[in-house]
Amino acid sequence: MRIGCPKEIKNHEYRVGLTPESARELARGGHEVWIQSGAGLGIDATDEEYEAAGARIVDGPDPIFAECEMVVKVKEPQADERKKLREGQILYTYLHLAPDREQTVDLVNAGVTAIAYETVTGPMGQLPLLKPMSQVAGRMSVQAGATALEKAHGGRGVLLGGVPGVMPGKVVVIGGGVVGFNAAQMAAGLGADVTILDRDPEVLERVGTHFESRAKTRFSNAANLHDAVCQADLVIGAVLIPGAAAPKLVTREMLSDMQTGAVLVDVAIDQGGCFETSKPTTHDNPTYVVDDIVHYCVANMPGAVARTSTYALNNVTLPHALQIADHGWKAAMRANPHLAEGLNVWDGKVTYKAVAEDLGYEYVPVEKALA
């Protein structure tokens, strides 16, 4: 198979879909690998390193979109990229379609076979291709929130860890999954006063056992959520419904009860955000203020630590890329039902139920695509 990897063009997105090491593995399998010149510079990977790995360097993205059977990326294709997609072409990347009608319309109209990293499952129902970026984003959320809390950035002027004689900052993490767990780890490590909210008693038991006295747990109902958020210096939104739009848990009305200069970090922004007042921001302009509350809603947080993120991502995406390249996407999905869960769009149809329901499309089961 001819596999192409273009340079990412989203604002301050420095990750790359394939590392030189991943390109080597695909080339060793007998596949052609085309890399856009400069695609790896954000992780300090030069064109020469890709060539040494057996890849072909091409100028610009056009040859990749025009001639490659599979396009491997990191972020969802931007509008200019979507115009280049071809019928039947395999697109293997993060998509986050549920809150993005415009992208979904373009992928449906293009007739591509779109496989979303974030909905590929594991044997226990987990999301292994989403997990490493959730780990990165969870850890980064505390760094970003701590910076936003500084007075010069519009925050309360609170140091999360406090100092002797001064209370630490209060961090509330909504959701005890991968993002929430990693956020709590970082916040507790800084010495903050950490509270984790979740609706699953088993999750609360697991994180409570892990953190012991370093973090508190509360069942997430409307009253507990409101109480915790209103006392917080930093709130981290870490909720996920696989493939679907995130629920709006913190309403605008609640902002008026929060402390002036408190910070909301919405890690769920890729799926539409879990705060009513969230809107996507960029690394160029990461924050904005609503009702005296600072919002940080960068949609590609892990792109800021591109080298760590790219290698963590390739560790989990490469095995599936090899399966697709070696056997074709249909045979690979028949053999691996977890990979089949990643199929979101095929032949002008939406094949992921949560996306179809959120955007009003007819749902076409994956089994029909594989028939």
Side-chain angles (χ1 to χ4, degrees):
M1 184 179 286
R2 182 177 292 159
I3 302 155
C5 178
K7 182 179 175 67
E8 296 292 324
I9 61 173
K10 191 164 186 169
N11 181 277
H12 283 288
E13 181 52 74
Y14 301 107
R15 290 172 290 180
V16 61
L18 294 172
T19 64
E21 294 83 353
S22 294
R24 184 183 299 276
E25 291 299 310
L26 289 163
R28 284 179 60 191
H31 306 291
E32 280 188 64
V33 182
W34 290 15
I35 306 289
Q36 182 180 342
S37 180
L41 293 180
I43 64 164
D44 296 326
T46 64
D47 289 351
E48 290 73 22
E49 289 179 82
Y50 282 105
E51 287 180 316
R56 173 182 171 182
I57 303 300
V58 299
D59 291 328
D62 290 354
I64 289 171
F65 285 101
E67 300 185 49
C68 289
E69 297 162 81
M70 177 162 67
V71 176
V72 180
K73 284 176 44 61
V74 177
K75 290 303 293 179
E76 72 280 356
Q78 304 300 290
D80 285 347
E81 295 174 311
R82 297 197 295 269
K83 295 174 184 176
K84 305 176 193 294
L85 291 166
R86 296 180 291 108
E87 184 176 352
Q89 191 170 48
I90 302 166
L91 175 65
Y92 183 49
T93 188
Y94 286 118
L95 292 173
H96 300 290
L97 294 180
D100 193 345
R101 179 176 298 278
E102 185 177 349
Q103 183 195 178
T104 306
V105 168
D106 287 347
L107 296 185
V108 166
N109 290 342
V112 297
T113 299
I115 303 169
Y117 295 160
E118 72 273 10
T119 62
V120 174
T121 59
M124 305 299 293
Q126 70 272 42
L127 304 171
L129 275 62
L130 185 62
K131 184 175 182 178
M133 295 305 95
S134 296
Q135 291 170 326
V136 171
R139 297 181 182 207
M140 285 190 68
S141 68
V142 176
Q143 293 180 196
T147 299
L149 269 173
E150 295 174 9
K151 201 67 178 178
H153 295 110
R156 298 195 70 220
V158 171
L159 182 66
L160 286 182
V163 292
V166 181
M167 296 291 285
K170 292 185 177 182
V171 177
V172 170
V173 181
I174 306 174
V178 177
V179 171
F181 179 83
N182 281 269
Q185 274 192 316
M186 293 293 284
L190 287 173
D193 179 346
V194 182
T195 299
I196 305 164
L197 291 100
D198 201 282
R199 295 184 65 84
D200 187 337
E202 291 188 4
V203 170
L204 294 174
E205 181 177 357
R206 173 173 53 82
V207 297
T209 300
H210 176 85
F211 287 106
E212 297 181 328
S213 61
R214 294 181 298 130
K216 301 181 285 289
T217 60
R218 293 184 76 173
F219 185 78
S220 184
N221 57 33
N224 287 345
L225 179 65
H226 184 273
D227 182 59
V229 165
C230 292
Q231 295 182 50
D233 298 297
L234 170 61
V235 179
I236 295 170
V239 299
L240 173 69
I241 299 174
K248 308 298 184 187
L249 299 180
V250 176
T251 65
R252 178 158 192 170
E253 184 180 3
M254 292 167 68
L255 301 190
S256 61
D257 295 330
M258 293 179 66
Q259 302 184 84
T260 299
V263 174
L264 299 177
V265 176
D266 197 340
V267 186
I269 193 65
D270 270 335
Q271 294 294 143
C274 61
F275 307 140
E276 185 181 0
T277 45
S278 291
K279 61 182 180 181
T281 61
T282 67
H283 289 291
D284 269 343
N285 191 20
T287 63
Y288 60 93
V289 177
V290 177
D291 295 343
D292 298 321
I293 305 301
V294 180
H295 292 58
Y296 179 100
C297 304
V298 174
N300 61 327
M301 289 174 65
V305 287
R307 187 171 177 86
T308 298
S309 298
T310 295
Y311 277 93
L313 181 60
N314 272 238
N315 289 343
V316 293
T317 57
L318 177 62
H320 294 295
L322 284 165
Q323 290 175 15
I324 296 166
D326 288 345
H327 307 293
W329 68 270
K330 284 191 176 183
M333 289 184 181
R334 290 189 191 110
N336 184 353
H338 300 298
L339 175 60
E341 291 288 333
L343 187 66
N344 276 220
V345 174
W346 159 76
D347 192 32
K349 304 172 182 67
V350 175
T351 54
Y352 196 80
K353 191 172 184 179
V355 173
E357 290 177 349
D358 282 349
L359 297 180
Y361 278 91
E362 178 186 357
Y363 166 61
V364 175
V366 172
E367 290 74 20
K368 183 172 182 179
L370 301 182

